[in-house]
Amino acid sequence: MRAVLDYCNGGTERQIAAGTLIVNEGGTTGHLYVLMQGKLEVLKGEMVVATVTEPGAVLGEMSVLLGQPHTATVRACSDAVVYEFENAASFLEKEPGVALLIAKMLAQRLNVANTYLADLKRQYAGHGTHLAMVGEVLQSMINLPPLEVSPGSDRKSDPRM
């Protein structure tokens, strides 16, 4: 994602102190962030799901592209520097190169998730456990109509599935 750094004109450089929340899960900002230096962690609830250290890493893209609240919290693990784009949708319209880089990154993430789910499907096929439903999850991901998606869990499921 270092190629994103070439497009960081027009963003506001922010110095972030260790421990500072950059993005709050459930919040809406419309902002896009690009990591310049430092170490960030991505949390779903209280669980750390990823650590981000690569300059050029993009944060907040799912919220901007889907027009929905942030799906995770991002917190600085160390002092960090990020570029912030306040009107991210407008920025992406003006910079299709960045939009394409983000699309490639998201496609890569989806490929990893699909590969993982397919492996789970192979491992648990015919076991009759809740993991045997992975095939249904994969099929539903392929056939989702282009409607607004509301991420959920067992407590709040997507009504189309």
Side-chain angles (χ1 to χ4, degrees):
M1 288 306 301
R2 288 184 183 270
V4 170
L5 297 173
D6 295 336
Y7 296 93
C8 285
N9 303 335
T12 303
E13 184 175 308
R14 304 264 188 232
Q15 304 290 323
I16 309 294
T20 302
L21 296 181
I22 299 168
V23 171
N24 288 304
E25 184 174 359
T28 53
T29 64
H31 297 195
L32 193 69
Y33 303 87
V34 177
L35 178 64
M36 303 305 290
Q37 67 182 44
K39 182 177 179 182
L40 309 175
E41 57 189 2
V42 180
L43 300 99
K44 288 289 288 175
E46 297 297 317
M47 171 88 53
V48 176
V49 294
T51 302
V52 181
T53 58
E54 182 180 356
V58 178
L59 308 156
E61 75 286 348
M62 291 192 333
S63 175
V64 169
L65 293 172
L66 296 174
Q68 295 185 347
H70 294 290
T71 60
T73 295
V74 178
R75 178 173 54 206
C77 298
S78 69
D79 290 345
V81 178
V82 299
Y83 270 102
E84 178 180 13
F85 296 91
E86 291 185 18
N87 188 345
S90 176
F91 170 69
L92 292 175
E93 287 176 4
K94 292 176 188 169
E95 294 291 351
V98 176
L100 181 59
L101 287 170
I102 291 172
K104 287 179 179 181
M105 175 196 64
L106 292 171
Q108 185 177 24
R109 286 184 196 166
L110 181 60
N111 183 48
V112 168
N114 283 340
T115 301
Y116 177 72
L117 288 171
D119 186 50
L120 280 177
K121 181 179 178 180
R122 262 190 309 280
Q123 289 180 43
Y124 292 98
H127 281 76
T129 68
H130 68 283
L131 290 174
M133 68 175 242
V134 171
E136 295 172 37
V137 172
L138 284 169
Q139 189 64 38
S140 69
M141 287 171 60
I142 292 168
N143 294 321
L144 283 177
L147 300 173
E148 289 188 30
V149 176
S150 178
S153 66
D154 289 338
R155 290 172 277 142
K156 182 180 174 190
S157 62
D158 187 335
R160 297 172 298 176
M161 296 175 57

